[in-house]
Amino acid sequence: MPIANYLRQQGLEVRTATLDEPEHGLTEAVLAQTDVLTWWGHMAHGEVEDAVVDRVHQRVLAGMGLVVLHSGHFSKIFKRLMGTTCDLKWREAGEKERIWVVEPGHPIAEGLGEYFEIPQAEMYGERFDIPAPDTLVFISWFEGGEVFRSGCCYQRGRGRIFYFRPGHETYPIYYQPEVLRVIYNAVRWAAPQEIKATQFGNAPVPLEPIKKKAAD
Amino acid sequence: MPIANYLRQQGLEVRTATLDEPEHGLTEAVLAQTDVLTWWGHMAHGEVEDAVVDRVHQRVLAGMGLVVLHSGHFSKIFKRLMGTTCDLKWREAGEKERIWVVEPGHPIAEGLGEYFEIPQAEMYGERFDIPAPDTLVFISWFEGGEVFRSGCCYQRGRGRIFYFRPGHETYPIYYQPEVLRVIYNAVRWAAPQEIKATQFGNAPVPLEPIKKKAAD
Amino acid sequence: MPIANYLRQQGLEVRTATLDEPEHGLTEAVLAQTDVLTWWGHMAHGEVEDAVVDRVHQRVLAGMGLVVLHSGHFSKIFKRLMGTTCDLKWREAGEKERIWVVEPGHPIAEGLGEYFEIPQAEMYGERFDIPAPDTLVFISWFEGGEVFRSGCCYQRGRGRIFYFRPGHETYPIYYQPEVLRVIYNAVRWAAPQEIKATQFGNAPVPLEPIKKKAAD
Amino acid sequence: MPIANYLRQQGLEVRTATLDEPEHGLTEAVLAQTDVLTWWGHMAHGEVEDAVVDRVHQRVLAGMGLVVLHSGHFSKIFKRLMGTTCDLKWREAGEKERIWVVEPGHPIAEGLGEYFEIPQAEMYGERFDIPAPDTLVFISWFEGGEVFRSGCCYQRGRGRIFYFRPGHETYPIYYQPEVLRVIYNAVRWAAPQEIKATQFGNAPVPLEPIKKKAAD
């Protein structure tokens, strides 16, 4: 758990939850205490229960941050929040990835240089079928010839979402300092001020007087 | 059907489909011939079959335009595409609405003045729980004291979506020339160049040679 | 100086600079120590020296935050950064303004309710000739029938800019707690992580080998 | 003039203007007849007269489209409209460029495949110091290891602006069919409906009655 360890070293309180736990460890009680949820999944997206996805969805819209890593692009929760297929091109060939910072003034880029490299990466390539991000922070260059929007910020409801491309099941990507730094920055950026609900629905009493119309 | 009549007068080919028809009139064959779908619904959103929503969703992502009117904000298809609740405040009090053009250079504002008025409108008020639009074209002022983002453009997949607030079950709003003009402009703006699919998935053959890594 | 006093009470270090000072108080040395500059001006925009505008412009692009208040919309520095006329409609009639929060999850809206009111305001109305903001946080409703995009976030270079509409030469608007809270939130939001320059220009040594082309 | 020839073949009426002409060929009369201006310049940006830049700027804000090519990124008019330095990294090494379409549903991408290649290109690399585009249509991959936001849409005032990266003084890039097609698409996208001015300034007569306040 290199990510959890790193975040703890930075002073954050971290809990983990896995697919095998009841309700995947994401009970109402757990979510109620969570400011930012980091989501990674691979292959088993279909096994995540819809009721849990509904719950996480509502919680994000109420203000919980969500940091989606790598193959989490195909998770039910990310697709639900984006409204698109979130599909992409991919290749497993151990190629080099160079991640360029295109928005260096953004808090998620804090502490990074102009780019950083991942020596061996799984390629994710455009077209990435997402809504245009509210802010595009990173673009990846791949040795095999593709590019990818690798760091994408979204506001949905009161919640902030960051998609971050790097990651793999076997390459030691989550031990790289730049990757860990981005995840830490993203967690801080996505942290809500407060989790609360807007009053929606019928508002029968106007804030200003409404004139009687001739037609009434 | 004042909208269909108006669009026909402008030279567009128009068909209508209703909830009561089999598959709500939105069969594969019908959608395959549709460039832009105009959606209005009220109260009965829950009766729209999920399979039809899935089909329309896929078709929009492949390039079909979608113009969502008034209470269509709460339709399954709009919520699916937005990823949020799409909730809002509302009030039935026959109040005046003044719709301001905030992006006068946008094709959807073509032919309009600086604002237009709806003498008696149902109020829809902020907070409107949508993703920030790619382009915000109109903002409404309401006599009772609220404001609303009334003209919102989105790109989702290859499809273009426009949400337009005005409309009502009983007020003659869809007979107003400015409202009809906006709907016509929106249909033209949302019309696709072509409906086609991107090649997603595994791309094992790189476009550029990938160097053998020491670790391999 | 109600704004400076309030920001000091929140623990910020605040200095003031005025038009009458040499270099308007905005010397290289002062700017080098400034994280966020709050700008207000009225009528005398033309008297601000171009050399000082150049200096502030460069500093914003290098990372300094800029909070532009009320009639600062017509300042040389704001027009320079926006690239547009920044023109608008206005009226002095002591009318009510109601400022609606349309992006309640944004840090600049922290601590606010769904809206707040200014009992007597100078009206600023759309069309406001600005680039569409990166994030639109507030929309104003005016008693006299207009609307206005009153809270607008921009990233330019490494710097963050927030335009906030309320303010007046005589009405006691800068004593209202909600207005002061927004300015404080904006200063925190616009504060840079670091002020630094990107390496631009010729980069003759490629990061990857470039194949000799037949045509060379 | 391969670009002018191509656009004429598509049925557009095309005129050319050069630096050496009086007022660089961009007189009031010429601009008044121009719907979309295509701008290319190199090295001699400083020789363009400020009065002509002012005139073009006003005309763009009033609705004229502007398509800025390649080294036009450093023109006075583009920097004026963007409000930033528009600086970037560059290299002359005859390397391959692959331009990926990231927004395939956009009119400027019409008729293109998923990407197209330029066999020998001058490299332009990130960080490109521009405001985040309203729509990002293309991202370039360079053989030497960089990426670049190569197709950027902006709305400024009533005018539409498209920046398109490819081009060179000696490589035959403006003879490539994909490059010509993009320029043609961009000209069509940027064409205004109408060139007209918004009424700005004092609006003393309110649209709605304003109540007398106690404080008055």
Side-chain angles (χ1 to χ4, degrees):
Chain A
M1 313 301 290
I3 297 173
N5 288 343
Y6 178 84
L7 295 178
R8 282 190 190 106
Q9 286 163 19
Q10 308 309 312
L12 301 183
E13 188 183 338
V14 182
R15 300 176 58 166
T16 57
T18 60
L19 186 61
D20 300 334
E21 299 173 44
E23 306 180 45
H24 315 315
L26 299 172
T27 60
E28 286 281 5
V30 164
L31 288 179
Q33 295 168 358
T34 301
D35 284 333
V36 180
L37 182 64
T38 303
W39 192 284
W40 182 78
H42 185 65
M43 306 293 285
H45 296 309
E47 296 172 29
V48 177
E49 292 166 29
D50 287 338
V52 173
V53 175
D54 290 347
R55 190 186 294 159
V56 173
H57 187 207
Q58 287 166 25
R59 179 83 180 158
V60 170
L61 296 182
M64 183 179 72
L66 182 69
V67 176
V68 176
L69 298 174
H70 189 56
S71 48
H73 75 94
F74 242 28
S75 62
K76 288 182 178 177
I77 182 63
F78 190 61
K79 292 195 286 187
R80 174 86 63 89
L81 282 160
M82 296 295 103
T84 57
T85 67
C86 300
D87 216 337
L88 46 76
K89 294 187 200 308
W90 60 272
R91 176 173 59 236
E92 294 259 21
E95 67 201 272
K96 189 194 286 186
E97 175 181 12
R98 183 176 294 107
I99 299 180
W100 287 91
V101 177
V102 296
E103 210 57 84
H106 195 276
I108 291 180
E110 189 175 343
L112 300 177
E114 296 197 301
Y115 64 84
F116 62 95
E117 296 181 356
I118 294 177
Q120 292 192 67
E122 179 182 8
M123 185 279 289
Y124 278 13
E126 296 283 345
R127 154 68 176 179
F128 184 20
D129 184 28
I130 48 170
D134 297 341
T135 310
L136 176 62
V137 183
F138 304 125
I139 296 176
S140 288
W141 176 99
F142 285 97
E143 189 180 356
E146 284 86 0
V147 296
F148 196 73
R149 289 171 289 173
S150 283
C152 299
C153 299
Y154 297 95
Q155 179 87 41
R156 287 297 182 269
R158 290 170 174 264
R160 289 178 152 192
I161 302 156
F162 184 65
Y163 174 77
F164 188 44
R165 198 211 76 80
H168 196 251
E169 303 84 67
T170 56
Y171 301 133
I173 289 168
Y174 290 137
Y175 291 89
Q176 279 197 229
E178 301 96 336
V179 171
L180 290 167
R181 178 63 190 267
V182 169
I183 296 172
Y184 170 64
N185 288 347
V187 166
R188 289 199 310 171
W189 171 81
Q193 307 135 24
E194 49 188 343
I195 306 282
K196 73 177 184 187
T198 304
Q199 291 305 313
F200 291 116
N202 197 358
V205 182
L207 300 163
E208 301 290 330
I210 294 172
K211 265 176 286 190
K212 191 89 181 147
K213 304 296 186 298
D216 282 356
Chain B
M1 310 305 289
I3 297 173
N5 288 344
Y6 179 85
L7 296 178
R8 282 191 191 104
Q9 286 163 17
Q10 308 309 312
L12 301 183
E13 189 183 338
V14 183
R15 300 177 56 167
T16 58
T18 60
L19 185 61
D20 299 335
E21 298 173 43
E23 306 181 46
H24 315 315
L26 299 172
T27 60
E28 285 282 3
V30 164
L31 288 180
Q33 296 168 358
T34 303
D35 285 332
V36 180
L37 182 63
T38 302
W39 192 284
W40 182 80
H42 184 67
M43 305 294 286
H45 296 310
E47 295 172 31
V48 177
E49 292 167 29
D50 287 337
V52 173
V53 174
D54 290 347
R55 189 187 293 158
V56 173
H57 187 207
Q58 286 165 26
R59 179 84 180 158
V60 170
L61 296 182
M64 182 180 72
L66 182 69
V67 176
V68 176
L69 298 174
H70 188 55
S71 48
H73 75 94
F74 241 28
S75 62
K76 287 182 179 178
I77 182 62
F78 190 60
K79 293 195 286 187
R80 174 85 63 90
L81 282 159
M82 296 294 106
T84 57
T85 67
C86 301
D87 215 338
L88 48 75
K89 294 187 199 308
W90 59 273
R91 177 174 56 237
E92 295 258 22
E95 67 201 272
K96 188 193 286 186
E97 176 181 11
R98 182 176 294 108
I99 298 180
W100 287 92
V101 177
V102 295
E103 211 57 86
H106 195 277
I108 291 180
E110 189 174 344
L112 300 178
E114 297 198 301
Y115 64 84
F116 61 95
E117 296 181 355
I118 294 178
Q120 292 193 68
E122 180 182 7
M123 185 279 291
Y124 277 13
E126 295 282 346
R127 158 67 174 175
F128 184 20
D129 185 29
I130 48 170
D134 297 342
T135 309
L136 175 62
V137 184
F138 303 125
I139 297 176
S140 288
W141 176 100
F142 285 97
E143 189 181 355
E146 283 86 0
V147 297
F148 196 72
R149 289 172 288 173
S150 283
C152 298
C153 298
Y154 296 94
Q155 178 87 40
R156 289 297 183 268
R158 289 169 175 267
R160 289 179 152 191
I161 302 155
F162 184 65
Y163 174 76
F164 187 43
R165 199 211 76 78
H168 196 253
E169 301 86 64
T170 56
Y171 301 132
I173 289 169
Y174 291 136
Y175 292 87
Q176 278 198 229
E178 302 96 334
V179 171
L180 290 167
R181 178 65 191 266
V182 169
I183 295 171
Y184 170 64
N185 288 347
V187 167
R188 289 199 310 168
W189 170 82
Q193 306 135 22
E194 48 188 343
I195 305 281
K196 75 176 181 186
T198 304
Q199 289 306 312
F200 292 116
N202 197 359
V205 181
L207 301 163
E208 302 290 331
I210 293 173
K211 265 176 286 192
K212 189 92 181 145
K213 303 295 185 300
D216 282 357
Chain C
M1 313 299 290
I3 296 173
N5 288 342
Y6 178 85
L7 295 178
R8 283 191 190 105
Q9 285 163 20
Q10 308 309 311
L12 300 183
E13 190 183 336
V14 183
R15 299 177 59 167
T16 57
T18 60
L19 185 62
D20 300 334
E21 298 173 43
E23 306 181 46
H24 316 316
L26 298 172
T27 61
E28 286 281 5
V30 163
L31 288 180
Q33 295 168 356
T34 302
D35 285 332
V36 180
L37 183 63
T38 302
W39 192 285
W40 182 79
H42 185 65
M43 306 292 286
H45 296 309
E47 298 171 29
V48 177
E49 293 166 27
D50 287 338
V52 173
V53 175
D54 290 347
R55 188 186 296 158
V56 172
H57 187 207
Q58 286 166 25
R59 179 82 181 160
V60 170
L61 297 182
M64 183 179 71
L66 182 69
V67 177
V68 176
L69 298 175
H70 187 57
S71 47
H73 75 95
F74 241 29
S75 62
K76 287 182 178 178
I77 183 62
F78 189 60
K79 292 195 286 188
R80 174 87 63 90
L81 283 160
M82 296 295 104
T84 57
T85 66
C86 301
D87 216 337
L88 46 75
K89 294 187 200 308
W90 59 273
R91 176 174 58 236
E92 294 258 22
E95 67 202 273
K96 189 192 285 185
E97 174 181 13
R98 183 177 293 107
I99 298 180
W100 286 92
V101 177
V102 295
E103 212 57 85
H106 196 277
I108 291 181
E110 189 175 343
L112 300 177
E114 296 196 302
Y115 64 84
F116 61 95
E117 296 181 354
I118 294 177
Q120 292 193 67
E122 180 182 7
M123 185 280 289
Y124 277 13
E126 296 283 346
R127 160 63 176 181
F128 183 21
D129 183 29
I130 48 170
D134 297 342
T135 310
L136 175 62
V137 183
F138 304 124
I139 296 176
S140 288
W141 176 100
F142 285 96
E143 189 181 355
E146 284 86 0
V147 297
F148 196 73
R149 288 170 289 172
S150 284
C152 298
C153 298
Y154 297 94
Q155 179 87 41
R156 288 298 182 268
R158 288 169 176 264
R160 289 179 153 191
I161 301 155
F162 184 65
Y163 174 77
F164 187 44
R165 199 211 76 79
H168 195 253
E169 303 85 66
T170 56
Y171 300 132
I173 289 168
Y174 291 136
Y175 292 89
Q176 277 197 229
E178 301 95 336
V179 172
L180 290 167
R181 178 63 191 266
V182 169
I183 295 172
Y184 170 64
N185 289 347
V187 167
R188 289 200 309 171
W189 170 81
Q193 306 135 25
E194 49 188 341
I195 305 282
K196 74 177 183 188
T198 304
Q199 289 306 312
F200 291 116
N202 196 358
V205 182
L207 301 163
E208 302 288 331
I210 293 173
K211 265 176 288 192
K212 189 87 182 147
K213 304 294 185 300
D216 284 355
Chain D
M1 312 303 288
I3 296 173
N5 289 342
Y6 179 85
L7 296 178
R8 282 190 190 105
Q9 286 163 19
Q10 308 310 310
L12 301 184
E13 188 184 338
V14 182
R15 301 177 58 166
T16 58
T18 60
L19 186 61
D20 301 333
E21 299 173 44
E23 307 182 43
H24 316 315
L26 299 172
T27 60
E28 286 281 3
V30 164
L31 288 179
Q33 296 167 357
T34 303
D35 283 333
V36 180
L37 182 63
T38 302
W39 193 284
W40 182 80
H42 185 64
M43 305 293 286
H45 297 308
E47 298 171 30
V48 177
E49 293 166 29
D50 287 338
V52 173
V53 175
D54 290 347
R55 189 186 294 158
V56 173
H57 187 207
Q58 285 165 26
R59 179 83 180 160
V60 170
L61 297 183
M64 181 179 72
L66 181 70
V67 177
V68 176
L69 298 174
H70 189 55
S71 47
H73 75 94
F74 241 29
S75 62
K76 287 181 180 178
I77 182 62
F78 190 60
K79 292 196 285 188
R80 174 87 63 90
L81 283 160
M82 297 293 105
T84 58
T85 68
C86 301
D87 216 337
L88 47 74
K89 295 188 199 307
W90 59 273
R91 178 174 55 235
E92 294 260 23
E95 67 202 274
K96 188 193 288 186
E97 175 181 13
R98 184 176 292 107
I99 298 180
W100 287 91
V101 178
V102 296
E103 211 58 84
H106 196 276
I108 291 181
E110 189 173 344
L112 301 177
E114 297 197 302
Y115 64 83
F116 61 95
E117 295 181 355
I118 294 176
Q120 292 193 67
E122 180 182 8
M123 184 280 290
Y124 277 12
E126 297 282 347
R127 156 65 175 183
F128 185 19
D129 184 29
I130 47 169
D134 297 343
T135 309
L136 175 63
V137 183
F138 303 125
I139 296 175
S140 286
W141 176 100
F142 285 97
E143 190 181 355
E146 284 86 0
V147 296
F148 196 73
R149 288 171 289 174
S150 283
C152 298
C153 300
Y154 296 94
Q155 178 88 39
R156 289 296 182 269
R158 288 169 176 265
R160 289 179 152 190
I161 302 155
F162 184 65
Y163 173 77
F164 187 44
R165 197 211 78 79
H168 196 252
E169 302 85 64
T170 56
Y171 301 132
I173 289 168
Y174 292 136
Y175 293 88
Q176 278 198 230
E178 302 95 335
V179 171
L180 291 167
R181 178 64 190 266
V182 169
I183 295 171
Y184 169 64
N185 288 347
V187 167
R188 289 199 309 169
W189 170 83
Q193 307 135 22
E194 47 187 344
I195 306 282
K196 74 176 183 187
T198 303
Q199 290 306 313
F200 291 116
N202 197 359
V205 182
L207 302 162
E208 300 290 331
I210 293 173
K211 264 177 287 191
K212 189 88 182 146
K213 302 296 186 300
D216 283 357

